[in-house]
Amino acid sequence: MTTLDPVDLGDHVCWMVEPGEDTSGPARSFVADGELFGDMVLVLGDTEGAHRGPVSWESLLSEVSRGTERADREGFRALRVLADMSGLAAAEVRPEILARHELRLDALAADRGAILVCVYARAALTSEAVDQAAGVHPHHLGRGPVAPAFRLFSSPRDRWSVSGVVDSEGAESFRTALGELLTLAPVLHLECGELEFMDSAGLTVLARAARGLPNRRIELHHANATLRRSWSLLGFESPEIPVELKQ
């Protein structure tokens, strides 16, 4: 994504801002588009630095949840949120915390048809946190390098989709995200129809994550032939590894 113009209902965007980047123009356009399409616009923080946005994940989740209810009640098309995440403390943007709450936000946006843009300052994050934030948003905006090459996001029917490529570069971010999702339900359904490739590092992470918590299972749906063959060749088709590849 090169601009915020194409955003649509249910979209969740990670906007990674580079040092010195002017965000005022795109932010104004995003707000103006909301007024054009009949959305209720919620700006948490601004581009002038006067207000630094949500100070906790819980406050952000609460604001978004209440906002979607109000937008529906008052006849808006949707809730449109621009959230400056720079007010979060350093401890709140550790990779595992980022994954946990951004995945919750993604599920909320998808379920209620909200448009949510999370604005991060790259310079304020560790490289691991940058990768984690990108990996758990279905869309990314930013001029700097983008990693990892996968995206993990909410799908219909209580499933999660993984797209792109899961390789050694993104394996740690993938592991963290899987670990958070596995705490939510006994069975994690992963839609793999848009997954291009998963190398041995990604497959090993998948197997270890499934075994990492008791009474948990992962089901892969629509895995391609290459993934199925690699899974078998690595010896992961074992009753001890609670992962099932389904059609």
Side-chain angles (χ1 to χ4, degrees):
M1 183 175 286
T2 57
T3 72
L4 293 174
D5 295 343
V7 295
D8 204 351
L9 302 181
D11 282 349
H12 182 204
V13 182
C14 175
W15 183 2
M16 196 64 65
V17 178
E18 302 300 315
E21 181 178 348
D22 182 12
T23 61
S24 58
R28 283 196 297 268
S29 296
F30 179 76
V31 170
D33 282 348
E35 296 169 352
L36 175 67
F37 289 111
D39 298 335
M40 189 178 93
V41 178
L42 178 61
V43 178
L44 302 174
D46 60 35
T47 56
E48 306 302 325
H51 174 229
R52 302 310 297 170
V55 295
S56 73
W57 288 105
E58 292 305 326
S59 69
L60 175 57
L61 284 156
S62 179
E63 290 257 27
V64 173
S65 182
R66 288 198 307 268
T68 58
E69 293 171 1
R70 180 184 168 194
D72 183 61
R73 187 171 61 248
E74 297 184 6
F76 290 96
R77 184 189 69 149
L79 176 70
R80 174 179 291 242
V81 182
L82 182 68
D84 176 0
M85 311 299 276
S86 61
L88 294 171
E92 292 291 283
V93 288
R94 299 195 312 272
E96 68 276 15
I97 303 296
L98 258 172
R100 180 179 312 154
H101 295 293
E102 285 291 7
L103 289 167
R104 291 173 64 191
L105 282 169
D106 192 68
L108 181 60
D111 181 58
R112 303 193 185 181
I115 300 169
L116 180 57
V117 177
C118 301
V119 186
Y120 288 96
R122 184 187 291 268
L125 302 177
T126 65
S127 58
E128 293 81 7
V130 169
D131 291 351
Q132 195 69 62
V136 292
H137 285 79
H139 304 288
H140 178 272
L141 173 67
R143 297 194 306 242
V146 179
F150 77 86
R151 294 291 178 269
L152 185 60
F153 53 94
S154 181
S155 285
R157 304 189 307 278
D158 295 322
R159 294 183 178 183
W160 293 85
S161 289
V162 57
S163 66
V165 175
V166 182
D167 55 15
S168 56
E169 182 180 5
E172 183 61 23
S173 297
F174 187 57
R175 181 200 65 76
T176 300
L178 286 181
E180 295 301 329
L181 290 178
L182 282 166
T183 66
L184 302 179
V187 182
L188 171 58
H189 296 274
L190 282 182
E191 277 288 347
C192 300
E194 296 183 10
L195 179 63
E196 299 169 27
F197 179 70
M198 185 179 292
D199 72 1
S200 60
L203 292 169
T204 299
V205 160
L206 185 66
R208 289 178 177 172
R211 297 181 64 180
L213 290 173
N215 304 314
R216 292 294 190 270
R217 191 171 84 253
I218 298 176
E219 292 187 359
L220 304 185
H221 300 268
H222 306 111
N224 62 35
T226 301
L227 191 152
R228 290 174 173 275
R229 187 162 54 251
S230 299
W231 185 259
S232 178
L233 288 172
L234 288 169
F236 289 145
E237 288 182 334
S238 165
E240 297 179 356
I241 300 176
V243 175
E244 184 176 358
L245 278 64
K246 292 180 169 288
Q247 293 297 328

